[in-house]
Amino acid sequence: MAEGRLTTHVLDTAAGRPAAGLRIELWAVRSNGSRDLVREATTNGDGRVDGPLLSGAALLVGSYELVFHAGDYLRAAGHALADPAFLDIVPIRFGIADASAHYHVPLLISPYGYSTYRGS
């Protein structure tokens, strides 16, 4: 059986480069809507987290939320932001249906928009 894993990659589309130094929180979302913090990480120079956010036995079927601290990153990267910023915290809630699969959740970010998808 393949070992499942959860990964992410963040690109700054306004600057055309990886989003290095962006803080990320991973939350497990319970059926009653409460959340448990699973992990915090910061992207490296390639806009990735060193290693999977979750893998193997730690990756369970269920709902999760990645919280990207985009506003802090965008300010630090030199983007001129209004006060308050249009985008600050970017939450992405998603489901893991197969704990043996690879779930890749990339984020493309700019001061005024973002997109995501299930990558490979």
Side-chain angles (χ1 to χ4, degrees):
M1 180 179 235
E3 180 175 284
R5 66 191 189 282
L6 171 63
T7 58
T8 189
H9 187 198
V10 186
L11 298 173
D12 180 338
T13 58
R17 63 178 178 242
L22 191 145
R23 189 165 63 98
I24 302 168
E25 298 168 352
L26 173 63
W27 296 83
V29 181
R30 304 296 170 215
S31 59
N32 67 3
S34 67
R35 301 181 316 156
D36 296 319
L37 183 63
V38 175
R39 179 158 181 217
E40 293 182 81
T42 302
T43 56
N44 62 23
D46 192 36
R48 300 176 188 274
V49 174
D50 294 329
L53 290 164
L54 284 177
S55 63
L59 183 66
L60 303 173
V61 169
S63 295
Y64 293 86
E65 187 173 80
L66 280 168
V67 177
F68 296 89
H69 291 262
D72 292 343
Y73 161 78
L74 291 165
R75 282 183 203 89
H79 294 283
L81 302 181
D83 187 19
F86 180 71
L87 291 177
D88 188 15
I89 304 296
V90 175
I92 299 173
R93 192 168 284 195
F94 58 96
I96 302 277
D98 178 359
S100 68
H102 179 198
Y103 287 80
H104 183 65
V105 183
L107 180 69
L108 307 176
I109 188 78
S110 77
Y112 295 100
Y114 69 92
S115 66
T116 189
Y117 54 94
R118 182 174 175 191
S120 58

